[in-house]
Amino acid sequence: MNYDVCKKIHNKLHLDVILLFLIFLLLVYSSFILWSASGQNFDMMKHKIIQIIFGSLIMLGLAQIPPRMYESWSPYLYIICILLLFSVNLCGEVSKGAQRWLNIGLIRFQPSEIAKIAVPLIIARHINRNYYPPSCKNIIIAIILIGIPTIFVAIEPDLGTAIIIATSGLFVLFLSGMHWKMILTILLIIILFIPMLWLFVMHEYQKYRIKILFNPEIDPLGLGYNIIQSKIAIGSGGLTGKGWLHGTQSQLAFLPEGHTDFIFSVIGEELGLIGVLILLLIYLKIIIRGLFIATQAQNTFGRVITGSFILILFVYVFINISMVTGILPIVGIPLPLVSYGGSSLVVLMASFGIIMSIHTHRNMLSTNI
């Protein structure tokens, strides 16, 4: 693709060509893996393609909106998000013991996914309207804004998503130039809160998952089964893997949830270390490109939002891979853009659309200024 075409896509469609290429490279990679992980399930592949098309349209649409509109709309998005989370706790659908889904006829989705965008936007707007670094009062207000949706999601229960939402808001505070003393104070409060989390918030099955982390063999056919099979799958892949569609753990259904949370294990088994490194290289390229865009943003709102979205992507990848390799307890975090799941994919594509908007509207902002 020559320079003129790239420039036209950048200026007319407000899309960053490099980031766009890396995202679709990852989506193509994920489609091949899903075909194998799903047992060549045609319906699942059809849904995956529909999700990619829908997510791409959302990304394209959001990239056209000037960044200042996101700042203006963020309070409304936050309020809508809180109302939806309240509705889920009131009348949401129960699946596998958790009340996370909202069914409004044609669409069935998880409102907690919207919070991953709404929370960073409202915190960035709140901080951006005041002096830097943020004062103690503004930090307390920001923590309250982060805490409300986090508690709603933790009640569902969805501890993994609650952690992601809280982290996304805290990243905005961190990137806004918060003093190190304040950061250490917040970390100390979080550490002190952990015993209360264990005693009063976490369910028994969540506590058991943490115990299983240190010794999965105490329940090899129960909660320890997933992580044991996952380790076998990854370890048996070796350097080059068993070959696409030839994984024994994945194709013979020993590996549970191979198309969602444990899809990384399928990659490790069928494509080996080389396939894993290719995946990590694509993620690394996306993260580096995102951080570059953050440094090029023309105002603090753009910098902290872009930085927060990219750091959350890193946290997503880190938690999922740590989870399936037995380093962290299983908390139900999918591998971003690779695991099967419409709500997560669409929200991630939406965040990329906002990032591209921030990057491609820079010249327009300069002209207006």
Side-chain angles (χ1 to χ4, degrees):
M1 189 179 293
N2 61 43
Y3 176 75
D4 291 336
V5 174
C6 292
K7 191 175 180 182
K8 191 174 181 180
I9 293 174
H10 184 282
N11 294 335
K12 300 294 182 183
L13 296 178
H14 294 288
L15 296 173
D16 180 71
V17 177
I18 297 174
L19 187 58
L20 186 68
F21 170 75
L22 292 169
I23 290 169
F24 279 102
L25 183 63
L26 183 59
L27 289 172
V28 170
Y29 188 91
S30 74
S31 298
F32 277 101
I33 299 302
L34 182 65
W35 178 247
S36 176
S38 65
Q40 297 90 63
N41 187 314
F42 180 78
D43 287 338
M44 197 173 288
M45 279 305 299
K46 185 175 72 174
H47 289 146
K48 173 77 174 181
I49 292 170
I50 291 173
Q51 290 163 5
I52 291 174
I53 293 172
F54 185 64
S56 301
L57 291 175
I58 293 287
M59 180 178 69
L60 178 63
L62 293 180
Q64 313 309 309
I65 301 172
R68 64 177 180 278
M69 299 302 293
Y70 292 113
E71 191 172 355
S72 303
W73 293 348
S74 58
Y76 306 108
L77 180 63
Y78 181 81
I79 292 170
I80 291 170
C81 175
I82 296 298
L83 292 175
L84 288 173
L85 289 173
F86 179 73
S87 302
V88 168
N89 284 280
L90 197 66
C91 57
E93 283 190 359
V94 178
S95 176
K96 299 180 180 178
Q99 194 168 340
R100 303 173 184 173
W101 298 86
L102 204 59
N103 193 337
I104 54 174
L106 294 175
I107 303 175
R108 180 175 176 267
F109 65 103
Q110 294 187 58
S112 57
E113 295 292 335
I114 299 174
K116 295 174 185 173
I117 288 183
V119 169
L121 283 175
I122 190 67
I123 300 302
R125 182 183 188 274
H126 171 67
I127 298 298
N128 196 43
R129 294 170 70 87
N130 295 285
Y131 294 106
Y132 292 91
S135 65
C136 185
K137 176 187 172 186
N138 285 329
I139 290 173
I140 292 172
I141 294 173
I143 290 175
I144 292 172
L145 290 171
I146 296 168
I148 295 171
T150 301
I151 291 170
F152 271 123
V153 176
I155 291 172
E156 289 179 0
D158 189 352
L159 187 60
T161 303
I163 292 172
I164 292 289
I165 292 168
T167 308
S168 66
L170 292 174
F171 274 147
V172 174
L173 282 176
F174 172 73
L175 294 171
S176 63
M178 199 165 54
H179 197 278
W180 278 105
K181 288 182 180 176
M182 189 60 73
I183 294 173
L184 292 174
T185 303
I186 292 176
L187 287 176
L188 182 62
I189 292 172
I190 292 173
I191 292 171
L192 292 175
F193 182 70
I194 289 176
M196 294 178 63
L197 185 73
W198 178 272
L199 291 173
F200 303 111
V201 178
M202 292 180 69
H203 294 258
E204 285 303 319
Y205 78 91
Q206 292 171 330
K207 296 177 183 177
Y208 198 56
R209 281 181 178 177
I210 294 177
K211 294 175 183 174
I212 286 291
L213 172 69
F214 299 102
N215 188 11
E217 284 72 21
I218 62 175
D219 191 8
L221 298 178
L223 287 179
Y225 181 81
N226 292 9
I227 190 61
I228 290 173
Q229 298 303 322
S230 176
K231 287 180 177 178
I232 292 173
I234 296 171
S236 63
L239 180 63
T240 57
K242 298 175 181 173
W244 185 53
L245 303 177
H246 291 90
T248 51
Q249 292 293 107
S250 54
Q251 302 302 319
L252 299 178
F254 286 108
L255 185 66
E257 307 294 339
H259 61 291
T260 54
D261 295 351
F262 286 84
I263 199 166
F264 181 82
S265 309
V266 179
I267 298 172
E269 182 185 26
E270 297 192 353
L271 304 181
L273 179 62
I274 293 175
V276 168
L277 290 178
I278 291 172
L279 176 72
L280 295 179
L281 183 63
I282 298 173
Y283 276 129
L284 181 63
K285 291 278 187 183
I286 292 175
I287 290 169
I288 290 174
R289 183 62 186 172
L291 293 177
F292 171 77
I293 290 174
T295 61
Q296 299 297 306
Q298 287 196 324
N299 57 32
T300 307
F301 179 81
R303 277 193 292 276
V304 297
I305 279 297
T306 305
S308 174
F309 284 158
I310 291 300
L311 288 176
I312 281 299
L313 176 71
F314 168 77
V315 171
Y316 252 121
V317 176
F318 176 78
I319 291 181
N320 179 272
I321 295 177
S322 301
M323 186 179 78
V324 301
T325 53
I327 298 173
L328 290 177
I330 296 171
V331 289
I333 296 293
L335 193 61
L337 298 181
V338 177
S339 294
Y340 179 78
S343 300
S344 172
L345 187 144
V346 170
V347 168
L348 282 165
M349 295 293 274
S351 66
F352 284 124
I354 296 173
I355 290 173
M356 291 189 191
S357 165
I358 290 169
H359 187 54
T360 58
H361 284 85
R362 288 180 306 147
N363 294 334
M364 188 180 296
L365 286 172
S366 298
T367 304
N368 292 338
I369 291 169

